mmCIF file of all heavy atoms in Angstrom:
data_model
loop_
_atom_site.group_PDB
_atom_site.id
_atom_site.type_symbol
_atom_site.label_atom_id
_atom_site.label_comp_id
_atom_site.label_asym_id
_atom_site.label_seq_id
_atom_site.Cartn_x
_atom_site.Cartn_y
_atom_site.Cartn_z
ATOM 1 N N GLU A 20 14.018 -1.098 18.467
ATOM 2 C CA GLU A 20 14.523 0.046 17.704
ATOM 3 C C GLU A 20 14.752 -0.400 16.253
ATOM 4 O O GLU A 20 15.847 -0.802 15.876
ATOM 5 C CB GLU A 20 15.814 0.590 18.312
ATOM 6 C CG GLU A 20 16.235 1.910 17.690
ATOM 7 C CD GLU A 20 17.478 2.485 18.339
ATOM 8 O OE1 GLU A 20 17.955 1.924 19.353
ATOM 9 O OE2 GLU A 20 17.975 3.516 17.832
ATOM 10 N N GLU A 21 13.705 -0.325 15.466
ATOM 11 C CA GLU A 21 13.770 -0.850 14.103
ATOM 12 C C GLU A 21 14.796 -0.136 13.238
ATOM 13 O O GLU A 21 15.336 -0.722 12.303
ATOM 14 C CB GLU A 21 12.395 -0.752 13.442
ATOM 15 C CG GLU A 21 11.393 -1.761 13.963
ATOM 16 C CD GLU A 21 10.098 -1.732 13.174
ATOM 17 O OE1 GLU A 21 9.687 -0.641 12.735
ATOM 18 O OE2 GLU A 21 9.496 -2.809 13.005
ATOM 19 N N GLY A 22 15.066 1.130 13.530
ATOM 20 C CA GLY A 22 15.977 1.908 12.706
ATOM 21 C C GLY A 22 17.401 1.378 12.694
ATOM 22 O O GLY A 22 18.191 1.739 11.821
ATOM 23 N N ARG A 23 17.743 0.497 13.640
ATOM 24 C CA ARG A 23 19.092 -0.083 13.643
ATOM 25 C C ARG A 23 19.308 -1.015 12.458
ATOM 26 O O ARG A 23 20.440 -1.193 12.012
ATOM 27 C CB ARG A 23 19.339 -0.843 14.946
ATOM 28 C CG ARG A 23 19.428 0.038 16.185
ATOM 29 C CD ARG A 23 19.748 -0.787 17.394
ATOM 30 N NE ARG A 23 18.721 -1.814 17.636
ATOM 31 C CZ ARG A 23 18.862 -2.829 18.483
ATOM 32 N NH1 ARG A 23 20.002 -2.984 19.147
ATOM 33 N NH2 ARG A 23 17.885 -3.686 18.662
ATOM 34 N N VAL A 24 18.230 -1.625 11.964
ATOM 35 C CA VAL A 24 18.350 -2.628 10.905
ATOM 36 C C VAL A 24 17.514 -2.277 9.673
ATOM 37 O O VAL A 24 17.793 -2.748 8.582
ATOM 38 C CB VAL A 24 17.941 -4.020 11.438
ATOM 39 C CG1 VAL A 24 17.942 -5.071 10.342
ATOM 40 C CG2 VAL A 24 18.874 -4.452 12.560
ATOM 41 N N ILE A 25 16.525 -1.416 9.845
ATOM 42 C CA ILE A 25 15.613 -1.099 8.748
ATOM 43 C C ILE A 25 15.875 0.304 8.225
ATOM 44 O O ILE A 25 16.071 1.253 8.998
ATOM 45 C CB ILE A 25 14.150 -1.243 9.195
ATOM 46 C CG1 ILE A 25 13.865 -2.707 9.542
ATOM 47 C CG2 ILE A 25 13.189 -0.769 8.110
ATOM 48 C CD1 ILE A 25 12.507 -2.947 10.149
ATOM 49 N N GLU A 26 15.875 0.420 6.923
ATOM 50 C CA GLU A 26 16.023 1.696 6.225
ATOM 51 C C GLU A 26 14.614 2.179 5.853
ATOM 52 O O GLU A 26 13.882 1.448 5.190
ATOM 53 C CB GLU A 26 16.863 1.455 4.971
ATOM 54 C CG GLU A 26 17.209 2.660 4.159
ATOM 55 C CD GLU A 26 18.093 2.263 2.978
ATOM 56 O OE1 GLU A 26 19.322 2.246 3.139
ATOM 57 O OE2 GLU A 26 17.541 1.922 1.912
ATOM 58 N N PRO A 27 14.230 3.390 6.259
ATOM 59 C CA PRO A 27 12.838 3.798 6.046
ATOM 60 C C PRO A 27 12.531 4.148 4.599
ATOM 61 O O PRO A 27 13.393 4.605 3.847
ATOM 62 C CB PRO A 27 12.700 5.041 6.935
ATOM 63 C CG PRO A 27 14.084 5.608 6.978
ATOM 64 C CD PRO A 27 15.005 4.415 6.976
ATOM 65 N N GLY A 28 11.281 3.930 4.219
ATOM 66 C CA GLY A 28 10.772 4.455 2.965
ATOM 67 C C GLY A 28 10.386 5.915 3.140
ATOM 68 O O GLY A 28 10.526 6.485 4.222
ATOM 69 N N SER A 29 9.863 6.509 2.071
ATOM 70 C CA SER A 29 9.538 7.932 2.148
ATOM 71 C C SER A 29 8.255 8.313 1.431
ATOM 72 O O SER A 29 7.779 9.435 1.614
ATOM 73 C CB SER A 29 10.687 8.763 1.560
ATOM 74 O OG SER A 29 10.916 8.406 0.212
ATOM 75 N N GLU A 30 7.664 7.397 0.656
ATOM 76 C CA GLU A 30 6.535 7.773 -0.189
ATOM 77 C C GLU A 30 5.280 6.957 0.130
ATOM 78 O O GLU A 30 5.332 5.730 0.186
ATOM 79 C CB GLU A 30 6.893 7.554 -1.669
ATOM 80 C CG GLU A 30 8.039 8.421 -2.167
ATOM 81 C CD GLU A 30 7.697 9.903 -2.139
ATOM 82 O OE1 GLU A 30 6.510 10.239 -2.323
ATOM 83 O OE2 GLU A 30 8.621 10.712 -1.923
ATOM 84 N N PRO A 31 4.129 7.637 0.327
ATOM 85 C CA PRO A 31 2.865 6.899 0.422
ATOM 86 C C PRO A 31 2.566 6.205 -0.903
ATOM 87 O O PRO A 31 2.929 6.702 -1.974
ATOM 88 C CB PRO A 31 1.833 7.999 0.700
ATOM 89 C CG PRO A 31 2.619 9.186 1.163
ATOM 90 C CD PRO A 31 3.953 9.089 0.492
ATOM 91 N N VAL A 32 1.906 5.067 -0.817
ATOM 92 C CA VAL A 32 1.597 4.285 -2.022
ATOM 93 C C VAL A 32 0.137 3.841 -1.987
ATOM 94 O O VAL A 32 -0.327 3.291 -0.982
ATOM 95 C CB VAL A 32 2.504 3.043 -2.128
ATOM 96 C CG1 VAL A 32 2.079 2.161 -3.306
ATOM 97 C CG2 VAL A 32 3.963 3.452 -2.273
ATOM 98 N N THR A 33 -0.570 4.083 -3.078
ATOM 99 C CA THR A 33 -1.894 3.502 -3.293
ATOM 100 C C THR A 33 -1.873 2.725 -4.604
ATOM 101 O O THR A 33 -1.018 2.957 -5.460
ATOM 102 C CB THR A 33 -2.989 4.574 -3.361
ATOM 103 O OG1 THR A 33 -2.711 5.471 -4.438
ATOM 104 C CG2 THR A 33 -3.075 5.365 -2.054
ATOM 105 N N PHE A 34 -2.819 1.822 -4.753
ATOM 106 C CA PHE A 34 -2.962 1.104 -6.023
ATOM 107 C C PHE A 34 -4.439 0.805 -6.251
ATOM 108 O O PHE A 34 -5.254 0.843 -5.317
ATOM 109 C CB PHE A 34 -2.131 -0.186 -6.041
ATOM 110 C CG PHE A 34 -2.669 -1.294 -5.174
ATOM 111 C CD1 PHE A 34 -3.455 -2.311 -5.706
ATOM 112 C CD2 PHE A 34 -2.387 -1.327 -3.813
ATOM 113 C CE1 PHE A 34 -3.945 -3.325 -4.917
ATOM 114 C CE2 PHE A 34 -2.876 -2.351 -3.010
ATOM 115 C CZ PHE A 34 -3.656 -3.351 -3.559
ATOM 116 N N ASP A 35 -4.786 0.514 -7.484
ATOM 117 C CA ASP A 35 -6.164 0.201 -7.848
ATOM 118 C C ASP A 35 -6.343 -1.295 -8.001
ATOM 119 O O ASP A 35 -5.534 -1.971 -8.655
ATOM 120 C CB ASP A 35 -6.540 0.894 -9.156
ATOM 121 C CG ASP A 35 -6.688 2.402 -8.987
ATOM 122 O OD1 ASP A 35 -6.949 2.846 -7.851
ATOM 123 O OD2 ASP A 35 -6.541 3.123 -9.982
ATOM 124 N N LEU A 36 -7.423 -1.803 -7.404
ATOM 125 C CA LEU A 36 -7.718 -3.226 -7.421
ATOM 126 C C LEU A 36 -9.087 -3.444 -8.084
ATOM 127 O O LEU A 36 -10.120 -3.159 -7.471
ATOM 128 C CB LEU A 36 -7.717 -3.776 -5.991
ATOM 129 C CG LEU A 36 -7.748 -5.290 -5.791
ATOM 130 C CD1 LEU A 36 -7.304 -5.647 -4.379
ATOM 131 C CD2 LEU A 36 -9.128 -5.897 -6.050
ATOM 132 N N PRO A 37 -9.105 -3.917 -9.318
ATOM 133 C CA PRO A 37 -10.384 -4.226 -9.977
ATOM 134 C C PRO A 37 -10.974 -5.512 -9.392
ATOM 135 O O PRO A 37 -10.349 -6.570 -9.473
ATOM 136 C CB PRO A 37 -10.011 -4.404 -11.444
ATOM 137 C CG PRO A 37 -8.581 -3.964 -11.566
ATOM 138 C CD PRO A 37 -7.973 -4.121 -10.224
ATOM 139 N N SER A 38 -12.164 -5.432 -8.820
ATOM 140 C CA SER A 38 -12.791 -6.617 -8.238
ATOM 141 C C SER A 38 -13.534 -7.406 -9.306
ATOM 142 O O SER A 38 -13.753 -6.926 -10.427
ATOM 143 C CB SER A 38 -13.754 -6.215 -7.118
ATOM 144 O OG SER A 38 -14.886 -5.556 -7.663
ATOM 145 N N ARG A 39 -13.935 -8.602 -8.941
ATOM 146 C CA ARG A 39 -14.649 -9.461 -9.892
ATOM 147 C C ARG A 39 -16.001 -8.878 -10.286
ATOM 148 O O ARG A 39 -16.535 -9.197 -11.345
ATOM 149 C CB ARG A 39 -14.825 -10.854 -9.282
ATOM 150 C CG ARG A 39 -13.507 -11.583 -9.060
ATOM 151 C CD ARG A 39 -13.688 -12.829 -8.208
ATOM 152 N NE ARG A 39 -12.402 -13.379 -7.788
ATOM 153 C CZ ARG A 39 -12.236 -14.201 -6.765
ATOM 154 N NH1 ARG A 39 -13.290 -14.599 -6.058
ATOM 155 N NH2 ARG A 39 -11.034 -14.639 -6.443
ATOM 156 N N SER A 40 -16.554 -8.011 -9.445
ATOM 157 C CA SER A 40 -17.844 -7.392 -9.745
ATOM 158 C C SER A 40 -17.739 -6.305 -10.805
ATOM 159 O O SER A 40 -18.751 -5.833 -11.316
ATOM 160 C CB SER A 40 -18.429 -6.773 -8.470
ATOM 161 O OG SER A 40 -17.669 -5.628 -8.085
ATOM 162 N N GLY A 41 -16.506 -5.892 -11.106
ATOM 163 C CA GLY A 41 -16.291 -4.804 -12.055
ATOM 164 C C GLY A 41 -15.983 -3.477 -11.382
ATOM 165 O O GLY A 41 -15.577 -2.520 -12.053
ATOM 166 N N ARG A 42 -16.172 -3.389 -10.053
ATOM 167 C CA ARG A 42 -15.841 -2.166 -9.333
ATOM 168 C C ARG A 42 -14.355 -2.145 -8.999
ATOM 169 O O ARG A 42 -13.780 -3.155 -8.596
ATOM 170 C CB ARG A 42 -16.641 -2.055 -8.036
ATOM 171 C CG ARG A 42 -16.523 -0.661 -7.400
ATOM 172 C CD ARG A 42 -16.873 -0.708 -5.926
ATOM 173 N NE ARG A 42 -17.097 0.609 -5.368
ATOM 174 C CZ ARG A 42 -16.121 1.413 -4.915
ATOM 175 N NH1 ARG A 42 -14.849 1.007 -4.991
ATOM 176 N NH2 ARG A 42 -16.394 2.599 -4.410
ATOM 177 N N THR A 43 -13.731 -0.993 -9.141
ATOM 178 C CA THR A 43 -12.323 -0.841 -8.798
ATOM 179 C C THR A 43 -12.202 -0.138 -7.456
ATOM 180 O O THR A 43 -12.796 0.921 -7.237
ATOM 181 C CB THR A 43 -11.570 -0.053 -9.871
ATOM 182 O OG1 THR A 43 -11.584 -0.805 -11.091
ATOM 183 C CG2 THR A 43 -10.118 0.195 -9.460
ATOM 184 N N TRP A 44 -11.428 -0.742 -6.554
ATOM 185 C CA TRP A 44 -11.177 -0.185 -5.217
ATOM 186 C C TRP A 44 -9.798 0.455 -5.192
ATOM 187 O O TRP A 44 -8.832 -0.139 -5.661
ATOM 188 C CB TRP A 44 -11.255 -1.280 -4.158
ATOM 189 C CG TRP A 44 -12.634 -1.832 -3.970
ATOM 190 C CD1 TRP A 44 -13.231 -2.807 -4.717
ATOM 191 C CD2 TRP A 44 -13.587 -1.429 -2.993
ATOM 192 N NE1 TRP A 44 -14.506 -3.046 -4.255
ATOM 193 C CE2 TRP A 44 -14.751 -2.218 -3.198
ATOM 194 C CE3 TRP A 44 -13.579 -0.497 -1.961
ATOM 195 C CZ2 TRP A 44 -15.891 -2.074 -2.401
ATOM 196 C CZ3 TRP A 44 -14.706 -0.358 -1.168
ATOM 197 C CH2 TRP A 44 -15.844 -1.132 -1.391
ATOM 198 N N ARG A 45 -9.714 1.648 -4.629
ATOM 199 C CA ARG A 45 -8.421 2.297 -4.407
ATOM 200 C C ARG A 45 -7.934 1.913 -3.012
ATOM 201 O O ARG A 45 -8.637 2.103 -2.007
ATOM 202 C CB ARG A 45 -8.578 3.816 -4.538
ATOM 203 C CG ARG A 45 -7.328 4.643 -4.262
ATOM 204 C CD ARG A 45 -6.228 4.459 -5.288
ATOM 205 N NE ARG A 45 -6.630 4.737 -6.654
ATOM 206 C CZ ARG A 45 -6.638 5.957 -7.213
ATOM 207 N NH1 ARG A 45 -6.282 7.017 -6.516
ATOM 208 N NH2 ARG A 45 -6.992 6.103 -8.481
ATOM 209 N N VAL A 46 -6.714 1.367 -2.947
ATOM 210 C CA VAL A 46 -6.176 0.787 -1.714
ATOM 211 C C VAL A 46 -4.926 1.542 -1.284
ATOM 212 O O VAL A 46 -4.016 1.773 -2.090
ATOM 213 C CB VAL A 46 -5.835 -0.710 -1.931
ATOM 214 C CG1 VAL A 46 -5.355 -1.341 -0.625
ATOM 215 C CG2 VAL A 46 -7.036 -1.465 -2.499
ATOM 216 N N GLY A 47 -4.866 1.926 -0.006
ATOM 217 C CA GLY A 47 -3.709 2.596 0.560
ATOM 218 C C GLY A 47 -2.895 1.641 1.422
ATOM 219 O O GLY A 47 -3.461 0.874 2.214
ATOM 220 N N LEU A 48 -1.585 1.682 1.278
ATOM 221 C CA LEU A 48 -0.693 0.752 1.976
ATOM 222 C C LEU A 48 -0.025 1.413 3.185
ATOM 223 O O LEU A 48 0.354 2.589 3.136
ATOM 224 C CB LEU A 48 0.372 0.232 1.015
ATOM 225 C CG LEU A 48 -0.156 -0.554 -0.187
ATOM 226 C CD1 LEU A 48 0.993 -0.942 -1.111
ATOM 227 C CD2 LEU A 48 -0.926 -1.790 0.257
ATOM 228 N N SER A 49 0.137 0.625 4.237
ATOM 229 C CA SER A 49 0.852 1.067 5.431
ATOM 230 C C SER A 49 1.302 -0.179 6.176
ATOM 231 O O SER A 49 0.894 -1.297 5.839
ATOM 232 C CB SER A 49 -0.054 1.923 6.323
ATOM 233 O OG SER A 49 -1.138 1.153 6.842
#
């Protein structure tokens, strides 16, 4: 029961990762 010790977040988060090739990948976190 994680809720006994963990406080939940509320917002989805993505970020952009520029690769060495020059292409940027959009990454979603979970």
Side-chain angles (χ1 to χ4, degrees):
E20 190 177 354
E21 287 186 325
R23 292 183 300 167
V24 175
I25 296 173
E26 184 178 271
S29 59
E30 297 296 329
V32 174
T33 60
F34 72 97
D35 289 336
L36 191 162
S38 70
R39 295 169 191 160
S40 70
R42 191 201 194 275
T43 296
W44 292 84
R45 177 67 56 85
V46 184
L48 298 177
S49 65

